């Protein structure tokens, strides 16, 4: 009988053990994958629940906040409604006592706003809780009482102007006005109480929603912690079987953490660089351009020497290599250098424009009283040569309203828009550019209208974007002027918009605060 030697037995046992080990590793890897897939699915479900809960409860909170704001708006409108009536009554008494028409300013203002305020109050009250909270009846009664009060004030003023002094004093001395105001205040307080109850109820609902969302998130976090713990146990069990893989994963995790830190530091550095934007534009970006322009000059000199050398060495006139070299030094290289110079000049122009835009955004505004008629005339005179070259006629339609604003910013705005109107006049059509202005409450609106080639409706906003231009690009420009104009107008408490049919002309509307000092004061408050 033959017995296997010791080496053969060892190899057989090792082979069997190795096979078992491989089977164990495969089985463990399968279980590891299965467990992790199960845990991953559980984590995904939990995250989906948290996201869904956050979406639902945030939507509810937004709805509650909207209703609360509507109720607060009604409360404010009631107070303004009553305040207008008080101002009207005060103006009446001041006028009757002094016979000075200047005292009637608040009354005339309240009289002019009464119908609009009443309509606004009725509309806003109907919006609260979709009309279920504040019934139309109390609001209509309040408006009716307010109208009666305004009629009484108007009657008193009419009697006084007619010379019926005794009758007027009798009416003023009577309790009718006081009774009306008491009724108005009582009715207004009723509406305000309802609005306050809506705000309180909606605030409580928002707190409940926030509390429920917090609970859901806490439960979700707890479930994620449990799933994470389970995943950690499975991972540790698997790591014990594959020690090398564990070390590799550790190294990978360390590398990922290092990359995260590096990315975070890079973002912070980027933010710091953005804060020094103006300096970068004025110095760091311009320096390479200067170097490139210098090297371009050296390349041109080297090209001249190379051209002379190629022509000097002579050779067969039909030699293709010599012909290619001559084409390169005579045509290709000068053309490429020309493109480089053109690109560098354009980049330098863009840097200058961006720097100007940045400085304009940081410049402190200096509001002063301005005669807009003279200011716009100065802007027209400053670029009259452009109008003459384009064959355009510029006129100011009527008297422009005076404002209190920043002179430099307004000069830049009107110069840009007038120059832009001249640039895009339609060939074959005599240019007509008109400037007009008007007041609208606390704002001044100026329009610059031309009969040029117009702007397509799809480009109404595009033309105000930085470095974006619309239409046929047959005119020089960097796409900064209109963006600069809108930025300046917004700093002056307004905006710039455009109207056009795309064919017969364009109208730019510039809206600014009539008194920038008052606007800045309100913003600071």
């Amino acid at each position: 009988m033959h017995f296997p030697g010791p080496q053969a037995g060892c190899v057989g046992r090792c082979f069997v053990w190795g096979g078992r080990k491989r089977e164990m590793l495969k089985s463990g890897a399968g279980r590891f994958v299965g467990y992790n897939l199960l845990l991953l699915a559980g984590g995904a479900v939990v995250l989906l629940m948290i996201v869904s809960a956050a979406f639902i409860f945030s939507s509810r909170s937004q709805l509650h906040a909207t209703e609360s704001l509507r109720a607060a708006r009604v409360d404010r409108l009631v107070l303004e409604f009553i305040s207008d009536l008080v101002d009207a009554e005060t103006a009446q008494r001041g006028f009757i006592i002094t016979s000075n028409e200047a005292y009637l300013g608040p009354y005339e203002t309240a009289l002019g706003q009464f119908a609009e305020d009443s309509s606004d109050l009725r509309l806003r009250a109907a919006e609260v809780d979709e009309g279920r909270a504040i019934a139309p009846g109390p609001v209509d009664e309040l408006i009716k009482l307010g109208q009666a009060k305004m009629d009484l004030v108007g009657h008193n003023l009419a009697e006084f102007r007619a010379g019926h002094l005794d009758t007027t004093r009798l009416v003023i001395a009577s309790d009718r006005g006081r009774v009306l105001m008491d009724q108005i205040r009582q009715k207004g307080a009723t509406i305000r109480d309802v609005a306050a109850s809506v705000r309180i109820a909606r605030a409580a609902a928002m707190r409940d929603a926030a509390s429920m969302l917090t609970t859901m998130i806490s439960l979700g976090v707890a479930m994620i912690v449990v799933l994470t713990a389970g995943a950690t146990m499975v991972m540790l069990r698997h790591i014990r079987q594959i020690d090398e893989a564990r070390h590799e994963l550790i190294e990978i995790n360390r590398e990922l953490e290092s990359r995260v830190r590096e990315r975070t530091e890079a973002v912070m550095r980027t933010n710091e660089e953005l804060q020094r934007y103006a300096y970068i534009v004025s110095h760091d970006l311009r320096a390479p351009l200067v170097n490139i322009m210098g090297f371009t000059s050296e390349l041109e000199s080297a090209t001249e020497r190379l051209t002379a050398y190629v022509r000097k060495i002579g050779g067969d006139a039909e030699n293709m290599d010599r012909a290619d070299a001559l084409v390169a030094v005579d045509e290709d290289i000068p053309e490429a250098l020309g493109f480089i110079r053109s690109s560098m000049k354009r980049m330098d122009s863009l840097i200058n424009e961006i720097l100007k835009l940045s400085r304009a955004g940081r410049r402190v505004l200096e509001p002063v009283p301005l005669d807009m008629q003279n200011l716009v005339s100065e802007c027209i005179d400053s670029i009259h040569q452009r109008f003459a070259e384009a064959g355009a006629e510029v006129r100011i339609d009527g008297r422009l309203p005076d404002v209190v604003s920043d002179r430099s910013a307004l000069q830049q705005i009107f110069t840009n828009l007038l120059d832009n109107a001249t640039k895009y006049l339609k060939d074959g059509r005599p240019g007509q550019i008109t400037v007009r202005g008007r007041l609208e409450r606390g704002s001044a609106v100026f329009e610059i209208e031309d009969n040029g080639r117009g702007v397509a409706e799809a480009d109404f906003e595009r033309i105000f974007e930085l470095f974006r231009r619309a239409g046929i690009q047959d005119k020089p420009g960097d796409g900064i002027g209109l963006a600069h104009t809108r930025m300046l107008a917004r700093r002056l408490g307004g905006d710039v918009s455009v109207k056009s049919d795309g064919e017969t002309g364009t109208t730019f509307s510039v809206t600014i605060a009539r008194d920038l000092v008052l606007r800045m004061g309100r913003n600071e408050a």
Side-chain angles (χ1 to χ4, degrees):
M1 184 179 289
H2 177 71
F3 294 95
Q7 289 183 349
C10 179
V11 170
R13 287 193 299 272
C14 289
F15 179 78
V16 173
W17 171 250
R20 290 179 178 177
K21 186 175 182 180
R22 284 193 297 272
E23 292 296 329
M24 291 175 61
L25 289 174
K26 289 181 180 179
S27 177
R31 288 195 300 272
F32 173 75
V33 173
Y35 290 152
N36 277 277
L37 288 176
L38 182 61
L39 293 170
L40 181 62
V45 171
V46 173
L47 288 176
L48 182 60
M49 292 173 58
I50 293 176
V51 172
S52 300
F55 177 76
I56 293 172
F57 288 110
S58 63
S59 298
R60 291 181 180 177
S61 297
Q62 185 177 4
L63 177 61
H64 295 320
T66 300
E67 292 298 333
S68 180
L69 289 175
R70 289 174 176 173
R73 189 184 295 116
V74 170
D75 185 85
R76 177 179 58 81
L77 288 173
V78 170
L79 290 177
E80 292 179 356
F81 184 86
I82 296 175
S83 178
D84 289 342
L85 296 176
V86 173
D87 290 344
E89 185 176 18
T90 303
Q92 164 205 274
R93 295 182 180 277
F95 173 68
I96 292 176
I97 292 173
T98 64
S99 298
N100 188 348
E101 292 285 344
Y103 281 91
L104 292 180
Y107 166 73
E108 294 173 353
T109 300
L111 185 61
Q113 292 292 324
F114 184 79
E116 181 179 349
D117 293 344
S118 300
S119 177
D120 195 17
L121 177 59
R122 185 180 289 108
L123 175 62
R124 298 306 179 184
E127 291 178 350
V128 177
D129 201 12
E130 298 181 355
R132 293 188 295 268
I134 303 176
V139 176
D140 292 338
E141 292 177 6
L142 177 62
I143 294 173
K144 183 177 180 181
L145 290 171
Q147 184 63 57
K149 179 63 179 177
M150 292 297 294
D151 292 343
L152 179 60
V153 172
H155 174 73
N156 291 339
L157 292 175
E159 289 293 326
F160 180 77
R161 287 191 174 105
H164 302 158
L165 300 179
D166 295 336
T167 304
T168 302
R169 292 195 184 100
L170 182 60
V171 173
I172 295 175
S174 68
D175 289 339
R176 184 182 175 189
R178 180 181 59 79
V179 170
L180 279 174
M181 285 306 301
D182 289 343
Q183 292 176 348
I184 290 170
R185 290 190 177 93
Q186 182 179 2
K187 190 62 65 176
T190 302
I191 297 174
R192 291 183 62 200
D193 289 341
V194 175
S197 64
V198 171
R199 291 203 310 273
I200 293 172
R202 293 297 181 172
M206 283 191 289
R207 287 194 297 270
D208 293 340
S211 177
M212 184 64 69
L213 179 59
T214 302
T215 302
M216 292 289 294
I217 292 177
S218 300
L219 292 175
V221 170
M223 293 179 67
I224 290 176
V225 170
V226 172
L227 293 174
T228 304
T232 303
M233 294 177 62
V234 174
M235 188 177 293
L236 289 175
R237 184 182 304 170
H238 189 68
I239 288 175
R240 285 194 297 267
Q241 297 175 353
I242 310 175
D243 189 62
E244 294 180 358
R246 178 178 65 83
H247 287 294
E248 184 178 354
L249 288 174
I250 291 175
E251 291 300 324
I252 291 175
N253 288 335
R254 289 176 179 173
E255 183 179 355
L256 288 175
E257 292 176 357
S258 176
R259 289 181 179 179
V260 169
R261 286 195 298 268
E262 290 176 358
R263 296 284 176 86
T264 303
E265 292 174 357
V267 170
M268 295 178 65
R269 287 195 300 269
T270 300
N271 289 333
E272 292 176 356
E273 289 299 325
L274 288 175
Q275 295 176 359
R276 296 192 295 270
Y277 173 75
Y279 175 77
I280 293 173
V281 170
S282 63
H283 182 271
D284 294 354
L285 292 182
R286 182 171 284 112
L289 294 179
V290 174
N291 292 335
I292 293 174
M293 294 297 290
F295 286 125
T296 302
S297 299
E298 293 185 8
L299 285 175
E300 289 178 342
S301 299
T303 301
E304 293 176 358
R305 293 194 298 270
L306 181 60
T307 302
Y309 175 75
V310 172
R311 296 185 180 282
K312 181 179 180 181
I313 61 176
D316 188 0
E318 296 181 357
N319 188 321
M320 296 299 297
D321 292 338
R322 181 175 180 272
D324 291 342
L326 287 174
V327 170
V329 298
D330 288 340
E331 299 178 8
D332 296 343
I333 294 178
E335 182 181 6
L337 291 176
F339 284 139
I340 291 174
R341 282 192 176 278
S342 176
S343 298
M344 291 303 101
K345 289 180 180 179
R346 175 167 175 77
M347 186 174 293
D348 186 63
S349 175
L350 290 176
I351 290 173
N352 289 330
E353 291 296 330
I354 294 173
L355 178 60
K356 183 169 66 174
L357 191 64
S358 175
R359 287 172 176 170
R362 298 194 311 271
R363 191 178 69 85
V364 178
L365 299 177
E366 299 179 358
V368 294
L370 296 174
D371 184 336
M372 292 302 297
Q373 197 82 9
N374 291 335
L375 186 142
V376 174
S377 297
E378 291 173 1
C379 294
I380 294 174
D381 293 339
S382 67
I383 56 175
H384 72 279
Q385 186 64 31
R386 293 292 307 275
F387 302 137
E389 293 174 354
E393 178 185 355
V394 185
R395 65 186 184 89
I396 299 176
D397 185 7
R399 175 72 187 178
L400 300 180
D402 297 338
V403 298
V404 177
S405 192
D406 185 86
R407 172 182 289 274
S408 177
L410 285 176
Q411 286 176 336
Q412 187 68 54
I413 288 173
F414 282 99
T415 301
N416 284 351
L417 293 178
L418 289 169
D419 183 70
N420 191 77
T422 307
K423 182 186 298 184
Y424 295 104
L425 290 173
K426 191 174 183 63
D427 295 337
R429 181 189 299 168
Q432 297 288 335
I433 303 173
T434 304
V435 182
R436 63 178 64 91
R438 65 183 184 276
L439 294 177
E440 291 185 357
R441 294 190 179 181
S443 299
V445 180
F446 300 93
E447 293 181 347
I448 295 88
E449 180 182 0
D450 64 67
N451 63 340
R453 61 191 188 188
V455 179
E457 184 176 357
D459 296 326
F460 281 2
E461 287 300 318
R462 176 188 176 93
I463 60 176
F464 293 106
E465 296 177 6
L466 197 61
F467 303 128
R468 301 291 295 274
R469 303 179 68 192
I472 302 174
Q473 304 301 314
D474 58 346
K475 301 294 182 180
D478 300 316
I480 293 179
L482 290 179
H484 188 194
T485 299
R486 171 169 277 187
M487 182 271 290
L488 290 174
R490 288 177 174 175
R491 290 198 69 197
L492 298 181
D495 204 347
V496 179
S497 60
V498 62
K499 294 185 299 183
S500 176
D501 60 3
E503 296 180 359
T504 60
T506 306
T507 301
F508 283 91
S509 297
V510 180
T511 303
I512 62 172
R514 182 178 181 181
D515 190 335
L516 187 58
V517 175
L518 295 179
R519 182 68 59 89
M520 294 171 66
R522 285 197 295 268
N523 293 338
E524 292 174 357

